[in-house]
Amino acid sequence: MPSGLVALALGGFGIGLTEFLIAGLLPQVASSFAVSEAAAGWLISGYALSVAVGAIALTAATARLPRKPVLVGLVALFVLGNLLSAIAPNYPVMLLGRIVAALCHGSFFGIGSLVARSLVAPQKKSQAVAVMFAGLTVANVLGVPFGALVGERWGWRAAFWAVTAIGVLALAGIAALVPAWAGRVHPATGTEPVPGGPAATAGGPDPVPPGGLRAQVRAFRSWQVWLTLAATALSYGGMFGAFSYIAYTFTEVSGFASADVAWLLMVYGVGLVVGNLVGGRAADRDRDRALVLALLALTLTLALFGLLAGSATASVVLVFVMGVTGFASVPGMITRVTDFAHGAALAASANVSASNVGNALGAWLGGLAITAGLGYTSPLYVGAGIALLSTVVMVIAARRARSAHVADRVPTP
């Protein structure tokens, strides 16, 4: 495994950690700054909104810059944001720190995925993206318990100091281990030339200046890009429509105690890690088939979970499978959108924004179902319905791509 991928995974771990750990620290932070629970909740929702905005804005702003320095700058922004949170004298500064840290999130994973795939042979590009996202999935497992443990023992500020230190290590690792040629793009088209890494010469491809914003925007002329973004948003919407209220399902339907929710969420997180790695390998074999099967499996898992949520044993098994099927499509979706966008970083970052839009949509619809009196299993059925829509969109995208491929191979008379 290229050492540059390890550095990218460490960056993903730090960014994922700062996203998730705040959930276990909210009571302490609210008490420290004497703000309401609702105000403290903006440290989560404000972060999510900033991710969606920053993914597009920063990628567009850095379109003409080489990708390795951009990644270093993004991680530096992440370090600054967490440092502000660690030393924040009041709530507004704390919120500012969260916003600053969030701005780098989408661009890091968007641009980082292009750099990651350039470090390996073309037939392993989805696996390379999965390695980078492994940091994020591990953070999902450890984030909340890490924040709660460190916060309980040393205070909430210590948790942000720890994340700041991880960010510094990731910054140093990316600066030292990611080659300068990684993720280079063609100056006129803004697309990847020939994938680097093992396929390149000893020193990597010849240095090529990056493409501009106009070339990046041209990538969105492709219907395949839009279909993939739609499938991404709907797949995340399906998973998070169910996951946002899973604690209520566990305690009010499955019969678990509130104290059990933490380890149940870790079971889900382990499923994310497994799904990410399995999905990356499957996508490198037959990407569209793997994506359709993963989305269909997510649909069936959520529907079955809704039916069997009353069983504690079934709930443990199904929350793990939900994690596996929910994240199995992520590496393939990213390589698919960047392939059809010819390596445009803006499309890769738009994929991250689409996932956050899906998160918000799923959580909103799941909440509406509960408010309507449909019970605490209703978000699972809502999630299944959204995931089914994602499956349909992916089937349409796969068929259009296959038809276009066959047409290209038919000789003209």
Side-chain angles (χ1 to χ4, degrees):
M1 179 189 301
S3 56
L5 277 181
V6 177
L8 291 171
L10 181 60
F13 174 70
I15 291 174
L17 203 58
T18 200
E19 178 182 14
F20 299 121
L21 66 77
I22 188 64
L25 299 173
L26 274 187
Q28 291 186 40
V29 174
S31 175
S32 177
F33 293 129
V35 298
S36 67
E37 290 84 354
W42 273 101
L43 298 175
I44 296 177
S45 54
Y47 184 98
L49 290 172
S50 299
V51 169
V53 173
I56 301 298
L58 285 184
T59 304
T62 58
R64 287 196 168 275
L65 301 178
R67 286 173 178 165
K68 177 181 175 178
V70 169
L71 282 178
V72 171
L74 290 172
V75 178
L77 192 65
F78 167 79
V79 171
L80 174 62
N82 282 283
L83 181 60
L84 279 175
S85 295
I87 65 175
N90 52 48
Y91 174 77
V93 175
M94 177 72 177
L95 182 59
L96 175 63
R98 292 289 292 168
I99 291 171
V100 170
L103 287 174
C104 78
H105 184 125
S107 293
F108 177 84
F109 284 109
I111 297 172
S113 65
L114 295 173
V115 171
R117 58 182 284 169
S118 74
L119 297 176
V120 299
Q123 65 271 21
K124 293 185 177 181
K125 58 189 176 184
S126 293
Q127 293 178 64
V129 171
V131 169
M132 188 190 75
F133 271 80
L136 177 65
T137 56
V138 171
N140 196 302
V141 179
L142 300 179
V144 175
F146 172 85
L149 177 64
V150 174
E152 183 69 27
R153 187 175 293 266
W154 294 292
W156 65 265
R157 293 182 188 275
F160 283 96
W161 278 113
V163 175
T164 301
I166 291 171
V168 171
L169 288 175
L171 190 154
I174 291 171
L177 301 176
V178 173
W181 51 260
R184 293 283 188 180
V185 294
H186 193 280
T189 64
T191 62
E192 292 177 298
V194 178
T201 58
D206 293 332
V208 183
L213 179 58
R214 183 176 298 178
Q216 301 275 325
V217 173
R218 278 201 297 268
F220 291 90
R221 295 177 179 176
S222 167
W223 271 106
Q224 288 292 342
V225 169
W226 287 106
L227 287 169
T228 309
L229 292 176
T232 295
L234 291 169
S235 66
Y236 271 85
M239 180 170 62
F240 280 92
F243 177 73
S244 297
Y245 305 95
I246 199 69
Y248 294 104
T249 306
F250 285 142
T251 57
E252 303 299 325
V253 181
S254 304
F256 288 102
S258 298
D260 293 322
V261 172
W263 70 262
L264 288 165
L265 292 181
M266 291 187 70
V267 171
Y268 168 78
V270 172
L272 294 181
V273 175
V274 174
N276 175 54
L277 297 176
V278 172
R281 186 174 294 274
D284 280 332
R285 293 197 183 103
D286 187 337
R287 184 170 58 201
D288 282 359
R289 182 172 182 271
L291 289 173
V292 170
L293 290 176
L295 295 173
L296 182 59
L298 175 62
T299 302
L300 296 175
T301 299
L302 293 176
L304 188 62
F305 200 165
L307 291 172
L308 301 179
S311 165
T313 302
S315 295
V316 174
V317 174
L318 287 169
V319 78
F320 171 77
V321 179
M322 181 175 130
V324 174
T325 57
F327 223 83
S329 63
V330 172
M333 286 292 191
I334 292 176
T335 56
R336 191 178 200 280
V337 78
T338 50
D339 276 351
F340 282 103
H342 304 292
L346 193 60
S349 295
N351 198 70
V352 180
S353 289
S355 67
N356 279 271
V357 170
N359 292 354
L361 173 68
W364 176 62
L365 292 176
L368 285 182
I370 292 175
T371 303
L374 299 179
Y376 289 115
T377 59
S378 59
L380 290 163
Y381 294 117
V382 169
I386 301 173
L388 180 60
L389 286 176
S390 179
T391 307
V392 171
V393 171
M394 192 61 238
V395 168
I396 293 171
R399 286 183 175 178
R400 287 177 64 101
R402 189 180 303 113
S403 297
H405 180 67
V406 171
D408 287 342
R409 296 177 61 182
V410 174
T412 55

